[in-house]
Amino acid sequence: MIRIITDSLSDLTLERGTELDIDIMCLNVRFGDEDYICGKELSNEQFYEKLETSPHPPASSAVNPTAFSEVFDRYLKAGDEIVCIMFSSQMSATCQNAVIAASEFDSPHIRIIDCENASMGQGLLVEHAVRLRDQGKDADEIEKEIRELLPRVHTFIVVESMEYLKRGGRISASKALVGSLLRVHPVLRILADGAAPVDKVKGKKSCNAWLINKLLDEPADPNFPIVIGHSNAKERAVQFEAQMTNAGIKNDFITNCIGPIVGTHIGPNCLGIGYVVAK
């Protein structure tokens, strides 16, 4: 049997993980002295509520090698093949900890894929890996196709407020103030080593328009869904999906709430997309 493993940074809920029959390794997030297991003790939506109300900035901790070892050991003993699709190794130690755990077994039946992406892009790759598994592809075929897709997965987020970029040290307080006064919304692209600013838009209505124009300029492959990510802004995501449909974008859509790691830096009420660029 092929076992697909990812981490909670993929933004897939544990309920979705059960539906897909995959394992989701959960990171921890801390507010002051309070520790929570992401997805189990604190949902992504609850994270944003605490982000806005807690006097303590959040901090996260990676899944440790021992947790991976326990899962690997169980599946290897059952004779299973393992395909892990992990959050970018340059943004979290989780992927490296999976590699450390795998090295203990020195088994050709464990495949670790650094997705070089995050959030919507990572979730998109996991969902596709499940489709390949369900089509009867073997582990080598799944790994090969996922690796080939990596350069074509684009993830963009339009940030609602510069406040959280300022808190995380991504921009200066003066830039955050000017941006707020001018109602400027930074556009970030998620890359292997983090979120890079690629543009900025003025006014809230321009946020959705930027994402739609990106999809019109660099269309999504129709064989893959578009993942809509929101930071506790489900109603905005629903409206955005309707706007994309009205713009003639015919892909299927998957909607997820963006998790704590990316969410710490972007804050609530943001929208983003993850998609596979057409060849």
Side-chain angles (χ1 to χ4, degrees), residues 157-227:
I157 300 173
V158 183
V159 177
E160 172 72 9
S161 167
M162 291 189 177
E163 172 63 24
Y164 295 91
L165 293 172
K166 181 194 75 175
R167 289 187 191 181
R170 302 280 173 163
I171 60 172
S172 66
S174 59
K175 283 187 177 180
L177 176 59
V178 171
S180 177
L181 292 173
L182 295 177
R183 297 182 181 178
V184 170
H185 304 276
V187 181
L188 308 178
R189 180 177 176 187
I190 305 298
L191 300 170
D193 58 353
V198 294
D199 205 349
K200 55 189 175 184
V201 296
K202 188 173 180 181
K204 200 164 188 175
K205 290 183 179 179
S206 299
C207 296
N208 294 14
W210 191 96
L211 295 170
I212 290 171
N213 286 334
K214 172 57 68 173
L215 287 167
L216 295 176
D217 292 340
E218 297 180 356
D221 190 318
N223 297 307
F224 299 88
I226 295 170
V227 179

Side-chain angles (χ1 to χ4, degrees), residues 30-34 50-59 167:
R30 169 179 291 184
F31 286 91
D33 295 328
E34 298 178 327
K50 293 193 72 67
L51 182 66
E52 293 187 270
T53 59
S54 174
H56 306 287
R167 289 187 191 181

Side-chain angles (χ1 to χ4, degrees), residues 47-245:
F47 163 78
Y48 289 102
E49 294 171 8
K50 293 193 72 67
L51 182 66
E52 293 187 270
T53 59
S54 174
H56 306 287
S60 62
S61 56
V63 181
N64 62 52
T66 301
F68 281 111
S69 294
E70 291 173 353
V71 176
F72 293 165
D73 184 58
R74 182 170 71 251
Y75 287 146
L76 290 175
K77 286 179 177 176
D80 296 333
E81 298 281 340
I82 299 168
V83 178
C84 294
I85 301 174
M86 298 285 110
F87 186 86
S88 172
S89 62
Q90 296 187 55
M91 290 190 276
S92 169
T94 295
C95 183
Q96 184 58 35
N97 288 346
V99 172
I100 291 170
S103 68
E104 299 173 8
F105 298 93
D106 191 25
S107 171
H109 304 296
I110 304 175
R111 298 156 181 82
I112 311 292
I113 302 172
D114 178 348
C115 80
E116 302 174 3
N117 213 292
S119 193
M120 294 86 76
Q122 181 182 357
L124 177 62
L125 291 166
V126 174
E127 296 264 3
H128 186 58
V130 170
R131 284 192 292 277
L132 294 174
R133 178 201 66 191
D134 294 346
Q135 290 169 6
K137 303 288 187 181
D138 63 29
D140 287 337
E141 290 172 319
I142 294 172
E143 180 185 20
K144 181 176 183 292
E145 184 157 339
I146 293 300
R147 290 193 184 280
E148 288 175 348
L149 280 177
L150 297 184
R152 295 173 57 204
V153 177
H154 289 191
T155 302
F156 296 96
I157 300 173
V158 183
V159 177
E160 172 72 9
S161 167
M162 291 189 177
E163 172 63 24
Y164 295 91
L165 293 172
K166 181 194 75 175
R167 289 187 191 181
R170 302 280 173 163
I171 60 172
S172 66
S174 59
K175 283 187 177 180
L177 176 59
V178 171
S180 177
L181 292 173
L182 295 177
R183 297 182 181 178
V184 170
H185 304 276
V187 181
L188 308 178
R189 180 177 176 187
I190 305 298
L191 300 170
D193 58 353
V198 294
D199 205 349
K200 55 189 175 184
V201 296
K202 188 173 180 181
K204 200 164 188 175
K205 290 183 179 179
S206 299
C207 296
N208 294 14
W210 191 96
L211 295 170
I212 290 171
N213 286 334
K214 172 57 68 173
L215 287 167
L216 295 176
D217 292 340
E218 297 180 356
D221 190 318
N223 297 307
F224 299 88
I226 295 170
V227 179
I228 302 170
H230 66 89
S231 51
N232 205 23
K234 189 173 182 179
E235 290 185 4
R236 284 193 67 190
V238 171
Q239 293 171 356
F240 178 50
E241 179 178 332
Q243 289 173 337
M244 285 197 289
T245 300

Side-chain angles (χ1 to χ4, degrees), residues 8 14 26-29 35-43:
S8 56
L14 296 181
C26 297
L27 281 78
N28 281 23
V29 63
D35 276 304
Y36 302 92
I37 301 173
C38 296
K40 291 183 179 180
E41 300 172 341
L42 189 73
S43 70

